[in-house]
Amino acid sequence: MSTLRHGLQKLGCLRQLAKPGLQQTQWLPRAPCRASTKGLTTSARKQQPQPETGPEDVTTGSLIAAPPKKPFEGVTHVRPMPVSPSYFSREPHFIDSIVRLNTLLHRYQNLPVVSPDQVPRQLWKTLEGYRVYSGEPVKALQYSQALSIVKRLHQIDPKLMPAEVKDALVDFKRDIDPFSNVPKAIPIDRFGRALGVGRRKTSTARAWVVEGTGEVQVNGKALSEAFGRIHDRESAVWALRSTQRMDKYNVWALVEGGGTTGQAEALTLAIAKGMLAHEPALKPILRQAGCITRDPRAVERKKHGHLKARKMPAWVKR
């Protein structure tokens, strides 16, 4: 049975080869040029294909050229073609980026690179961030391989880095660069005062720090009158005491909101910021003393039906 089937298939192939359309090649006749019509007779010239011309111009008597055909005239079926060859893959945007990076690395791998300590600091997108950016389920291994190529291209000397390399690295950079943030300097006014602002819980403190003899006033009162507890007094001037500047600066402060403990700790941060405007070199000492870092902790609010934030009554009277 298989031999018979094979014979019939072979016979069908021979029949197709025996068709006259497949045996002879259809050659199109070459259009004769204008110079070759000089030796032809009048009847032969009439048989030659004439170019398409328009109507005759009445004023000059010359023929007007026919209007050109439209680009898609006569086309009935059009199929859109994808721009990228990786359009039908699962990660077309990521694959195009990989191909682009490999091409750039092969082209510019001989450019001079800078030392690791001189490479501009840059944060790259995480895997989840790139998935959100591209909308594609990129795998972790593939993304790590792409980042290795990106970091290698980032090591090229910035003065010699081509523009196309910079454009290729934009897709992997984070939108916000924390290394480009510069702290805002606190100015010193014409009276030599530096204004520092500090907060703790719901308390806010504003302190004007100026060089003087060590006087401290809070809301127009002396330090001992503003804070009754010794612990609060020590907290308020801890920035001056930790740097041994008790007799060098005068402080005039305004505090509001919260309790005395929150106001004293807010005043610590405000005085420390004012001192940094006068002496920026004190920052390591103040940071070690915990004076320039805000404490984000807050007391949980009380809930309805509870004795405190979470405490429930032992029994409920009905």
Side-chain angles (χ1 to χ4, degrees):
M1 184 63 69
S2 60
T3 306
L4 181 59
R5 187 183 301 108
H6 179 70
L8 293 176
Q9 292 177 357
K10 187 175 181 180
L11 181 60
C13 295
L14 293 176
R15 287 181 178 178
Q16 292 181 1
L17 292 175
K19 292 182 179 181
L22 297 176
Q23 292 178 355
Q24 299 178 359
T25 307
Q26 300 293 336
W27 298 97
L28 296 177
R30 184 178 180 181
C33 59
R34 183 175 299 178
S36 61
T37 58
K38 292 183 179 180
L40 298 178
T41 59
T42 306
S43 59
R45 290 179 181 177
K46 293 181 180 180
Q47 295 178 1
Q48 292 296 327
Q50 301 296 331
E52 297 182 1
T53 58
E56 183 178 357
D57 192 353
V58 180
T59 58
T60 60
S62 59
L63 297 178
I64 302 175
K69 293 184 178 180
K70 297 181 180 179
F72 298 99
E73 185 177 1
V75 178
T76 57
H77 300 282
V78 178
R79 182 168 65 92
M81 298 295 294
V83 178
S84 172
S86 58
Y87 174 79
F88 297 99
S89 62
R90 191 175 65 168
E91 305 100 359
H93 183 270
F94 179 70
I95 293 177
D96 289 343
S97 300
I98 289 292
V99 174
R100 185 182 181 186
L101 291 174
N102 286 324
T103 304
L104 294 176
L105 180 61
H106 180 73
R107 185 181 304 170
Y108 301 110
Q109 60 182 348
N110 295 327
L111 290 179
V113 297
V114 296
S115 57
D117 56 337
Q118 296 180 356
V119 176
R121 303 181 68 183
Q122 177 64 46
L123 286 182
W124 309 104
K125 292 180 180 178
T126 60
L127 177 61
E128 296 297 331
Y130 188 84
R131 286 175 177 174
V132 174
Y133 169 74
S134 61
E136 300 172 354
V138 182
K139 294 184 178 180
L141 179 60
Q142 297 176 350
Y143 187 70
S144 63
Q145 294 174 353
L147 277 185
S148 62
I149 302 176
V150 168
K151 293 178 181 178
R152 171 60 182 82
L153 292 174
H154 187 63
Q155 294 178 356
I156 299 176
D157 192 349
K159 299 179 182 179
L160 303 176
M161 183 179 294
E164 53 183 348
V165 176
K166 297 179 181 179
D167 296 340
L169 299 181
V170 171
D171 293 343
F172 295 89
K173 292 182 179 180
R174 290 192 184 181
D175 298 333
I176 299 177
D177 187 9
F179 299 118
S180 61
N181 296 338
V182 179
K184 184 178 179 180
I186 299 177
I188 300 177
D189 60 7
R190 59 192 181 94
F191 299 106
R193 300 175 301 183
L195 173 61
V197 180
R199 293 179 177 84
R200 174 71 176 100
K201 295 183 179 178
T202 58
S203 303
T204 304
R206 290 175 293 169
W208 284 265
V209 181
V210 63
E211 293 185 5
T213 58
E215 298 181 5
V216 179
Q217 287 190 356
V218 180
N219 291 344
K221 302 178 183 179
L223 184 63
S224 58
E225 297 179 5
F227 300 105
R229 297 176 56 195
I230 300 178
H231 181 271
D232 294 339
R233 300 176 199 169
E234 295 294 328
S235 297
V237 295
W238 178 243
L240 297 171
R241 191 176 298 278
S242 61
T243 56
Q244 300 179 1
R245 298 292 193 276
M246 287 294 298
D247 300 334
K248 186 176 180 180
Y249 294 104
N250 291 345
V251 178
W252 183 71
L254 295 176
V255 295
E256 58 184 359
T260 56
T261 302
Q263 291 178 358
E265 295 181 0
L267 186 57
T268 304
L269 181 58
I271 295 176
K273 289 183 178 180
M275 292 175 59
L276 287 178
H278 292 278
E279 298 182 75
L282 294 177
K283 187 173 183 179
I285 303 176
L286 292 173
R287 182 179 294 278
Q288 187 176 5
C291 299
I292 58 175
T293 303
R294 180 185 175 183
D295 191 351
R297 295 177 300 174
V299 179
E300 188 176 354
R301 71 174 184 86
K302 183 182 179 302
K303 278 81 172 182
H304 177 71
H306 294 233
L307 298 180
K308 296 193 297 183
R310 302 184 184 184
K311 184 179 180 180
M312 293 290 293
W315 55 276
V316 179
K317 185 178 180 180
R318 297 181 180 178

